[in-house]
Amino acid sequence: MVFASDWAEMAMQWWDSSTYNHILFVPFIIGWLVVQRARELAKLTPQAWWPGLIGMVGALLVWLLGDISGLATASHLGAVLMLQTSAIALLGPRIAAGLLFPLAYGLFLVPIGDELVPGLQMITAFLTIALTEASGIPAIIDGVFIDTPVGLFEVAEACSGVKFLVAMIALGALVAHVCYRSWPKRIAFMALAIALPILANGVRAWGTIYIAQSQGIAFAAGFDHIFYGWVFFGLVMAALLAIGWRFFDRHIDDPFINAQELQAKKGITPLEKFNAKGWPVLAALAGLVIITLGWSATARSIEADIPAQIALPQVDGWERAQRSDAHPWEPRMGGADHRLIGTYQSASGKQVTVAYALYAAQDDGREAGAFGQGALPPDTEWRWLAAAEPFAGGQGDRLLALGTHQRVAFTWYRHGEWTGSSKLRLKLGNMRDRAFLSAQPTSMLILSAEDTEAHDGQQAIADFVASTGPLGLWMDRIAGLE
């Protein structure tokens, strides 16, 4: 299989990541949905269809852009879309209409959802502090940390509830299709399937804090792992189905499709004038795949020219200094062709740590802004606390270690003439360059400073940036591109 590596990557995520374990059931669900339609579909005649190739071109383009830019979500989505659009091209519009929901349900094969974690953390923290205060427990919230009389609690990434939310969305879509005919009821059920796990996760986090007040943190943590895992959410799932049960309006014996109705649909008839023989369409599909693979191989082989060595420059009013952090911190900049990290100190004693990474190209494992890369190093004692006030177009994050050490970090990216903090903009820029078989270097700059009683971290960074001049040009100067 030409795209086996993409499917292997997805399967590995389904198996290894608890967020996506539910996807292991999706292929079987799709198979069951097809079987339910098999008797009626057998009454229709498959017919290859030329316009299906247009969808295949779109799917290959999505895959290509993801493959050449290192955006796995796009390449995985493209791989799934290829199966869907090739089925339409080879089976024709009438059978595709009969398989519309199973084909669409295939989108749940794409492992996506981790991007929701920061937002869900904040929502959970908001719900938790509201419930905690309502239950009479004095508490103070700072970002995703909640301080109570028995200790400090963190709404960590694992507590965001994303794994259950994405599973409930997949379940909700299936139940809405199988058990309802009315579109208003389907929409209402989907809204409930999204809202209920989010609210339930807030209750779960509050329950842990509430139990800890009387039984201690150790007991509450153990109880959370035993009961508030899938047991608790299994009950939430049962509650969702129980609420929706009384409104089910599809009879158990109602067929999902009717071959006679599909055959009589006049809206499909004009489309069938583009029907074709199967072998030419299959050959065209193969040709499109070969062209796309060749394009991808050529684009991935192109890298920008960068210097053999780079160095941090002098900055007016600041001197290079030894780091004196109260708690060690170092950002993650994996796969960069050049990495620099150093500390500058002003005459008044303010210190700013500069971390810089330069990439000749963006690929898997060497990608600025990829998951786990940047100011918050994973698998360390540092935790994300809250977003910092926006500054100079950079993304600001407040970090906390061991409940006492705080620092602020701002991140910028540079690609061509663009400087900013949008990972999407950076991705699009790299996609554009490689799609047109050109290359420009990408750089990432992280400025960080401790928040102490003596110095405000963000102010120290602002003073430093005022001394460097335009950050984009300063980043180019480090890379030797001026």
Side-chain angles (χ1 to χ4, degrees):
M1 185 177 178
V2 177
F3 301 98
S5 61
D6 296 286
W7 286 97
E9 289 175 4
M10 285 191 285
M12 188 63 68
Q13 286 186 266
W14 303 345
W15 184 262
D16 285 345
S17 174
S18 58
T19 302
Y20 306 120
N21 287 161
H22 68 280
I23 302 182
L24 292 169
F25 296 100
V26 172
F28 299 100
I29 293 172
I30 294 173
W32 176 78
L33 290 168
V34 173
V35 168
Q36 301 306 306
R37 293 160 168 78
R39 181 174 297 179
E40 293 298 308
L41 289 174
K43 300 175 184 178
L44 302 173
T45 302
Q47 186 67 59
W49 191 52
W50 282 114
L53 296 175
I54 299 174
M56 187 63 171
V57 169
L60 286 167
L61 181 59
V62 171
W63 177 86
L64 175 67
L65 294 176
D67 187 62
I68 63 179
S69 67
L71 181 57
T73 300
S75 57
H76 294 165
L77 176 61
V80 171
L81 289 173
M82 281 181 235
L83 282 184
Q84 298 167 319
T85 54
S86 60
I88 295 171
L90 294 173
L91 299 177
R94 289 199 189 272
I95 290 185
L99 290 172
L100 182 59
F101 184 79
L103 287 173
Y105 201 77
L107 293 175
F108 285 111
L109 292 168
V110 182
I112 186 171
D114 282 328
E115 299 80 3
L116 302 174
V117 168
L120 290 174
Q121 281 181 277
M122 296 306 296
I123 292 173
T124 301
F126 172 78
L127 293 172
T128 303
I129 189 64
L131 292 172
T132 300
E133 291 176 343
S135 60
I137 301 172
I140 299 174
I141 186 170
D142 188 1
V144 295
F145 289 85
I146 299 176
D147 195 6
T148 73
V150 300
L152 184 68
F153 293 84
E154 176 193 3
V155 181
E157 292 183 4
C159 301
S160 67
V162 65
K163 63 182 67 176
F164 197 66
L165 176 61
V166 295
M168 285 286 275
I169 290 174
L171 173 66
L174 179 64
V175 173
H177 172 73
V178 172
C179 301
Y180 294 100
R181 285 183 174 274
S182 165
W183 274 102
K185 290 183 179 180
R186 286 174 172 173
I187 294 172
F189 186 83
M190 281 303 302
L192 183 62
I194 294 171
L196 194 59
I198 294 175
L199 294 174
N201 193 57
V203 172
R204 179 203 65 80
W206 162 77
T208 301
I209 292 177
Y210 187 82
I211 293 172
Q213 306 308 305
S214 58
Q215 304 298 322
I217 292 179
F219 178 87
F223 187 78
D224 177 69
H225 286 297
I226 294 173
F227 180 74
Y228 282 131
W230 286 104
V231 174
F232 177 72
F233 284 114
L235 296 176
V236 176
M237 187 183 300
L240 173 68
L241 295 176
I243 294 171
W245 184 285
R246 61 180 299 181
F247 302 104
F248 289 174
D249 57 9
R250 181 191 290 277
H251 192 273
I252 192 171
D253 294 325
D254 289 348
F256 288 100
I257 62 171
N258 185 293
Q260 289 184 339
E261 291 180 359
L262 283 174
Q263 196 67 53
K265 279 192 174 181
K266 295 182 179 180
I268 298 178
T269 301
L271 301 176
E272 292 183 314
K273 66 180 180 180
F274 300 105
N275 285 349
K277 293 184 178 180
W279 285 111
V281 173
L282 184 61
L285 288 172
L288 289 172
V289 169
I290 292 171
I291 291 172
T292 304
L293 291 175
W295 193 351
S296 174
T298 303
R300 289 172 69 94
S301 67
I302 299 174
E303 295 194 0
D305 293 328
I306 58 174
Q309 292 184 334
I310 62 174
L312 292 175
Q314 296 296 318
V315 177
D316 292 340
W318 297 75
E319 299 290 337
R320 293 293 300 274
Q322 292 293 322
R323 295 183 64 179
S324 57
D325 296 338
H327 190 76
W329 168 85
E330 186 170 329
R332 185 69 58 86
M333 299 180 289
D337 294 281
H338 293 299
R339 296 172 69 254
L340 298 172
I341 187 165
T343 298
Y344 291 80
Q345 182 169 310
S346 69
S348 62
K350 296 178 181 178
Q351 280 199 352
V352 173
T353 298
V354 177
Y356 181 87
L358 181 64
Y359 305 79
Q362 298 283 278
D363 290 306
D364 291 335
R366 51 184 300 209
E367 183 182 358
F371 182 77
Q373 303 295 315
L376 179 60
D379 303 320
T380 67
E381 292 166 330
W382 287 101
R383 299 290 185 269
W384 185 80
L385 178 61
E389 191 72 23
F391 164 72
Q395 175 187 318
D397 298 291
R398 295 194 176 278
L399 311 178
L400 179 70
L402 304 178
T404 56
H405 306 290
Q406 291 195 33
R407 68 184 309 122
V408 62
F410 280 84
T411 303
W412 291 266
Y413 305 106
R414 176 76 167 172
H415 183 77
E417 298 298 319
W418 172 77
T419 306
S421 59
S422 171
K423 295 179 182 179
L424 176 60
R425 178 81 178 269
L426 178 64
K427 286 284 188 185
L428 292 176
N430 278 286
M431 286 181 181
R432 177 200 60 215
D433 289 349
R434 281 196 153 181
F436 289 100
L437 304 182
S438 64
Q440 296 186 79
T442 296
S443 58
M444 176 171 65
L445 173 68
I446 302 175
L447 302 181
S448 180
E450 290 184 302
D451 265 330
T452 65
E453 293 183 1
H455 297 293
D456 177 81
Q458 183 160 344
Q459 186 58 53
I461 293 172
D463 293 343
F464 182 80
V465 170
S467 300
T468 65
L471 275 180
L473 297 179
W474 195 69
M475 293 169 73
D476 285 347
R477 181 181 171 192
I478 298 174
L481 301 177
E482 280 192 333

